[in-house]
Amino acid sequence: MSCLRTLIGFLVLPAITAAFEDSVTDYAPSVNIPCPDLSTTEFVREWTASNQTLNPNEEEYVQTRLNSTIAQAWNDWLSDGSQLGYNTTSFQGHFPKIGLAIPGGGLRAAQFGAAALSGIDARNESAKSAGTGGLLQVSSYLTGLSGGSWITGSLFFNNFPTLGELVFGNGNNLTGWLLDLAFATPDGDDLFSEYNQYFYGSILWSVMAKADTGIDTSITDPWARMISFHFLNQTNRQNFFTNDTAHGAGQLWSNIPNIPAWQQYETPFPILVTDSRPQGLNTTIALTLDPTVYEITPFEFASYDPDLSAGMNLTFAGTPMTNKKPVNATACVTGFDQAGFMMGTSASLFNQILDFAHNTIQDFSQSDGNGLLYVLSRQLSEVRTRADDVANWPNPFNGVKTSTYEDTNSTWLSLIDGASNGENIPLGPLFVKARALDVIVPLDGSADDSNNWPNGTDMLITAERLSSILEASHQQMPPLPQNAQAFIDTGVRERATFFGCDPTQNPPEFPLVIYIPNTPPFNGDDPAANTGTFQLQYTPKQQQVLFDQIHNNTISGFVPNTNDADPNFGKCLQCAAVDRARYKISPVINRSDFCQTCFTQYCYDPTHPPSLSEVPNRKQIFVDPDPQGLVNFLSENKNKLIGGVVGLVIFIALLIGGLVWWKKRRDKKFVAHYHQVSALHEEEELNLKTYSQYIRPESYEIPAHRGSLYTDS
C-alpha cells in the first residue's frame, strides 16, 4: 500500500503543483475582479455562542469521513476489540470524534509535530507494531499554530505522505524540508554571496508583485515565502536558488479540497490558529486573553469567540468588506489566501521581538538586537507600511457585531502569532461546542522552561480562557494540575497522561484529553529534542536524532519507577481513544478490566495525583547530537549568530531596495537573471536613524492608482 501511495504521489503531485502555480509572482492576489451576485452570495455568515453552526462544507467533509474512512480505520486499528476486553461491534456507529493539536515553537515544533504524528500513524511500521499507529487515521481534526502550522500545511500540500518521507524525502517526488539550508541565509552568513542574492531575488519578486496590487505587505510576507521554500512543494536542492518553479507561490489554502488525499477522505480537517492585536494597540508584549482569536480552514476565516461568532468565505479573503458585503461589486479579491501567507500569519511573532518604543529587541543579545534594528531602520528609511510587524489582513468583519466585536470599526486586522496570548497549543477550535469532539490530543512541544521542555503552562492558559471568555461557546477542560509546578511535581509533563477519564455526567461534561508532551527520552538517553524556538537551521544528524527520540517516546509510554517502555502502551492508547464510545450506548458499557488497569496507570486523578518519582532518570539538559555541526559552529563564530533570525528581517531592507528598483525599472527579466541587490553596500553613504526615530504612521498612504481598493483609518 505504501508503494502504491508513493507511486500515486509521484504521478499526482506534479499535477497538483501545475494547477496551483506557475511563477513566483503568483504570490500576488488577483484584485478588482467582478464579485459574485451580492444578493445571493453569502460572503460572511454569523451565529451566536448559544446557537453555533459549522460551515456546511466542513460539516459535510467531517461527517462523510466519520461514516466511511474513519469507521474503517477504527476497525483496522482495534480489530474485534478482544485485546482490550471489548467487542467492538457494539461500538459501531458510536466511535468518538477526535482532534489533534500541534503547538508552536518554530522548527522544533514542526519537527516535534511530524515525529509525534509518525508515532500514531498506521502507515509507520514501528507505530503499527506498538499499537499506537492508527490514532492519526481515526482523527477528524488537525489544528496547528506557528511552527505547528508549518507541518500542517506541509502535510496537505504534499498530498499527505508518511511523516518520514515528508521530513527527510523519499528519493522520488519528495525531497524533504531541507532544514540544513537556513531560512534567511541558505547560502551562509554572507548576505551578498551569489546564491543568497539569487534567493533574495526570488523572495523580493514575489513580495513586490503582491505590493504592486495595492495590498499592504509587511515582514510577514518575506517570512511566508521563506516558509514556503521548505514546507510547500516544488523546491529541492537543485532548484532552491533558481526560479525554475514558483516555490509555493500561488498555492492557496482554499484549494486544499483539490488535493487527491482530501478527495479520498484520507485527511483530518485542518485548522490554523492566529491571534489579533486590536487596532490602536501597538503592543510589543504578549497579549491578554481578551483579544479575538481567529481560525483558518480551507473554507473560512472565522472566530468562534462569543464576541464575534462569524466566518468569511476564505476564497474572497482580502476583499474590502463592510456589513458582510464587498465595498465594491467589481473589486473582489481572490488568491489572498496563499498557503505560505496563512502559515506565516499563524507564525508572525515579530510584534513581540521588535520593541518600537524602546528601540530594543526582547530575548536577544545586544549584538543580535543591534543587527535587527539596523536592517529594520533601512526599511523605514525608504517606505511606510500599515504595520510592519504583523500580518496585514483587510477586515472582513467590518460592521459586524457592533456591540461586542472590538474591531468592528476597523477596515484592517493586525494578525499575529497564534501563541501570542499564551495559548501555544491550538486547542480552542477543538473545544468548540458545535464540533462536539469527544477526545482531544494535545501534542505539546512547547518550550516553557529554561531547558525548552513543556510544563503545562499552555494547557492551563487555555483552561482559563475556556472557563472565562469562552464558557458559552466552548466545552470545558477536564481537571488539570493546579499550576505549572504541579505539572512538574506530578510527573505528568514527563510522559503521556489522560485527563478527564471519569466524567460524572452523561453526556460527559468535558472531553477526554490525551496529553502527549515532548519529554526527555524515557530510557535515560541524552535529550536532543529540546532545541530553541529561534533555531532556524538543523544538520541532517540533528534532525534525525530529534525525530527518532520523539517518535520513540510517542510509541513507548512509561513503566512506573523504571526507564522501560510499556509493552501495553499501544493498547492503553486504544482504550483511551475509544472510551467515550461507552457513554454513547444505552445502557453504558462498563470499562473493561484491561482498560481500567491502563487508566489507573495513565489517568490523572486530582484526588490521588501521581509523583515525579515514577519517571526517574530523565535528563533535562540538551546535548547536541552533532557537536561538530551547526550549533557549535555558530557558537564559535559570533558574527554568524545573527544568521537565521536576523536574515529574515534583513530581507525587509532588501525588499525596500527592490521596491525602489521595481518602480524604476519594471524589468520582467529580473526572474531570469536575479539581479543582485546591493543597497546595503552603501552603508557609508546612509545617514542612518535608529529604528525608534522613524514615526509610525496611523494609516498607510496608498498611491493614487491603488486607492480604489483600500482606504482606512
Side-chain angles (χ1 to χ4, degrees):
M1 183 66 178
S2 61
C3 292
L4 177 60
R5 280 193 56 83
T6 299
L7 176 61
I8 292 173
F10 185 76
L11 294 174
V12 303
L13 200 55
I16 295 172
T17 58
F20 282 173
E21 79 284 334
D22 295 310
S23 165
V24 293
T25 58
D26 287 340
Y27 183 72
S30 299
V31 300
N32 292 323
I33 64 172
C35 301
D37 188 337
L38 301 189
S39 65
T40 59
T41 302
E42 185 179 54
F43 292 89
V44 175
R45 65 184 190 93
E46 294 184 75
W47 57 88
T48 65
S50 60
N51 188 27
Q52 291 176 334
T53 58
L54 298 179
N55 182 282
N57 294 312
E58 172 187 340
E59 199 164 24
E60 183 278 331
Y61 181 79
V62 171
Q63 193 59 45
T64 299
R65 281 196 76 232
L66 282 171
N67 296 334
S68 55
T69 53
I70 286 182
Q72 182 58 50
W74 276 110
N75 293 330
D76 293 341
W77 192 28
L78 303 185
S79 188
D80 62 3
S82 59
Q83 78 278 13
L84 309 181
Y86 293 128
N87 182 346
T88 53
T89 58
S90 59
F91 293 155
Q92 300 300 318
H94 303 287
F95 285 117
K97 187 187 292 186
I98 299 176
L100 308 168
I102 306 178
L107 290 179
R108 181 197 65 252
Q111 294 175 93
F112 168 75
L117 288 179
S118 77
I120 58 174
D121 186 350
R123 299 169 297 177
N124 182 280
E125 289 302 322
S126 61
K128 186 175 181 180
S129 177
T132 56
L135 179 58
L136 175 59
Q137 279 67 31
V138 300
S139 295
S140 292
Y141 287 91
L142 178 65
T143 62
L145 67 76
S146 199
S149 75
W150 304 346
I151 163 66
T152 303
S154 192
L155 267 173
F156 282 86
F157 286 93
N158 287 283
N159 199 33
F160 215 74
T162 62
L163 280 304
E165 289 183 331
L166 181 69
V167 176
F168 301 106
N170 60 11
N172 293 313
N173 60 307
L174 296 173
T175 59
W177 287 348
L178 306 177
L179 299 186
D180 57 310
L181 299 176
F183 262 42
T185 53
D187 191 41
D189 64 300
D190 182 2
L191 298 175
F192 301 99
S193 73
E194 181 179 9
Y195 285 103
N196 272 339
Q197 288 292 300
Y198 290 169
F199 176 67
Y200 299 156
S202 179
I203 299 292
L204 292 170
W205 206 39
S206 292
V207 178
M208 288 188 291
K210 178 178 179 178
D212 202 47
T213 68
I215 297 177
D216 282 1
T217 59
S218 72
I219 193 172
T220 304
D221 290 282
W223 179 232
R225 293 298 294 129
M226 285 184 272
I227 292 168
S228 300
F229 270 67
H230 292 274
F231 292 100
L232 299 181
N233 55 61
Q234 280 209 317
T235 301
N236 55 45
R237 291 190 188 277
Q238 289 68 44
N239 67 24
F240 199 96
F241 298 102
T242 77
N243 271 352
D244 292 344
T245 75
H247 300 294
Q251 297 183 25
L252 307 180
W253 203 257
S254 58
N255 278 348
I256 285 177
N258 295 334
I259 295 171
W262 172 285
Q263 294 177 344
Q264 296 163 14
Y265 295 96
E266 294 179 0
T267 72
F269 188 87
I271 304 174
L272 304 186
V273 171
T274 181
D275 288 346
S276 61
R277 185 175 70 189
Q279 293 298 304
L281 180 65
N282 292 325
T283 181
T284 60
I285 60 175
L287 297 174
T288 67
L289 296 180
D290 297 309
T292 306
V293 176
Y294 298 90
E295 62 177 46
I296 304 168
T297 80
F299 303 116
E300 279 189 323
F301 171 66
S303 176
Y304 282 83
D305 284 13
D307 68 335
L308 179 52
S309 296
M312 162 73 170
N313 184 332
L314 188 66
T315 298
F316 297 102
T319 300
M321 303 281 294
T322 186
N323 298 318
K324 302 192 292 184
K325 298 291 184 183
V327 172
N328 186 333
T330 63
C332 270
V333 174
T334 61
F336 181 84
D337 59 311
Q338 298 282 323
F341 188 62
M342 300 301 97
M343 295 186 289
T345 295
S346 182
S348 186
L349 46 69
F350 303 102
N351 70 300
Q352 292 187 54
I353 65 174
L354 304 178
D355 188 336
F356 302 105
H358 302 97
N359 202 40
T360 61
I361 299 180
Q362 299 175 5
D363 301 325
F364 284 87
S365 68
Q366 183 176 2
S367 60
D368 290 349
N370 287 343
L372 282 162
L373 293 169
Y374 163 71
V375 295
L376 204 52
S377 67
R378 291 300 302 260
Q379 172 193 5
L380 294 181
S381 70
E382 299 288 351
V383 300
R384 306 282 188 197
T385 62
R386 177 176 307 284
D388 47 83
D389 62 336
V390 302
N392 293 307
W393 282 56
N395 183 11
F397 308 118
N398 175 267
V400 174
K401 300 293 177 67
T402 55
S403 62
T404 58
Y405 176 47
E406 61 186 344
D407 281 327
T408 187
N409 294 321
S410 301
T411 53
W412 286 83
L413 296 177
S414 296
L415 300 187
I416 54 179
D417 189 279
S420 298
N421 67 354
E423 294 184 279
N424 194 50
I425 313 172
L427 292 171
L430 302 180
F431 279 87
V432 168
K433 287 182 177 179
R435 291 190 170 117
L437 266 67
D438 303 294
V439 180
I440 294 174
V441 186
L443 305 173
D444 190 359
S446 306
D448 295 328
D449 70 8
S450 59
N451 289 315
N452 296 324
W453 298 114
N455 63 15
T457 295
D458 314 282
M459 297 281 289
L460 293 164
I461 290 175
T462 292
E464 181 182 353
R465 195 167 196 267
L466 290 172
S467 64
S468 55
I469 295 171
L470 305 180
E471 185 177 11
S473 54
H474 291 59
Q475 296 191 75
Q476 295 302 294
M477 185 78 76
L480 301 174
Q482 290 185 342
N483 50 46
Q485 189 60 49
F487 262 84
I488 297 171
D489 294 340
T490 58
V492 298
R493 75 161 185 167
E494 304 280 356
R495 42 85 162 185
T497 302
F498 309 154
F499 295 106
C501 295
D502 296 300
T504 60
Q505 303 173 20
N506 193 15
E509 62 269 34
F510 39 66
L512 189 150
V513 172
I514 300 174
Y515 180 63
I516 302 178
N518 188 21
T519 68
F522 68 89
N523 60 6
D525 284 350
D526 291 332
N530 53 327
T531 54
T533 298
F534 291 96
Q535 182 173 331
L536 295 178
Q537 189 175 9
Y538 287 75
T539 68
K541 184 175 181 180
Q542 289 170 335
Q543 282 186 262
Q544 190 67 63
V545 174
L546 180 152
F547 190 96
D548 290 345
Q549 283 191 0
I550 295 167
H551 176 90
N552 290 335
N553 278 345
T554 303
I555 67 175
S556 297
F558 83 111
V559 175
N561 307 307
T562 76
N563 291 103
D564 298 332
D566 180 4
N568 289 320
F569 178 61
K571 289 185 285 188
C572 288
L573 186 65
Q574 294 171 15
C575 286
V578 80
D579 191 69
R580 285 296 195 260
R582 300 187 301 109
Y583 295 87
K584 299 184 179 187
I585 301 169
S586 183
V588 174
I589 296 176
N590 291 329
R591 185 176 291 147
S592 71
D593 291 342
F594 176 83
C595 286
Q596 185 57 53
T597 300
C598 287
F599 275 42
T600 299
Q601 179 172 334
Y602 286 96
C603 284
Y604 173 76
D605 181 353
T607 62
H608 298 90
S611 170
L612 179 61
S613 64
E614 296 178 15
V615 283
N617 305 318
R618 268 64 166 178
K619 297 179 181 179
Q620 302 293 320
I621 299 175
F622 172 81
V623 177
D624 187 354
D626 191 11
Q628 302 305 314
L630 173 72
V631 175
N632 278 13
F633 178 75
L634 290 178
S635 68
E636 294 167 3
N637 293 268
K638 185 175 181 180
N639 289 337
K640 296 184 180 182
L641 278 170
I642 296 177
V645 176
V646 172
L648 67 90
V649 182
I650 287 177
F651 259 121
I652 302 303
L654 295 171
L655 173 62
I656 304 314
L659 279 169
V660 174
W661 176 87
W662 173 271
K663 292 175 182 178
K664 291 180 179 179
R665 298 284 301 276
R666 306 278 179 160
D667 187 354
K668 295 292 185 177
K669 294 182 180 179
F670 184 92
V671 63
H673 299 292
Y674 283 104
H675 290 169
Q676 296 189 5
V677 181
S678 59
L680 291 180
H681 283 311
E682 301 170 3
E683 177 179 353
E684 68 278 6
E685 299 178 9
L686 176 68
N687 180 18
L688 183 65
K689 299 180 182 179
T690 62
Y691 184 59
S692 60
Q693 287 177 298
Y694 288 99
I695 299 173
R696 294 175 53 77
E698 293 300 321
S699 64
Y700 176 80
E701 295 183 4
I702 302 166
H705 73 282
R706 297 174 180 172
S708 61
L709 260 184
Y710 301 98
T711 57
D712 186 23
S713 57

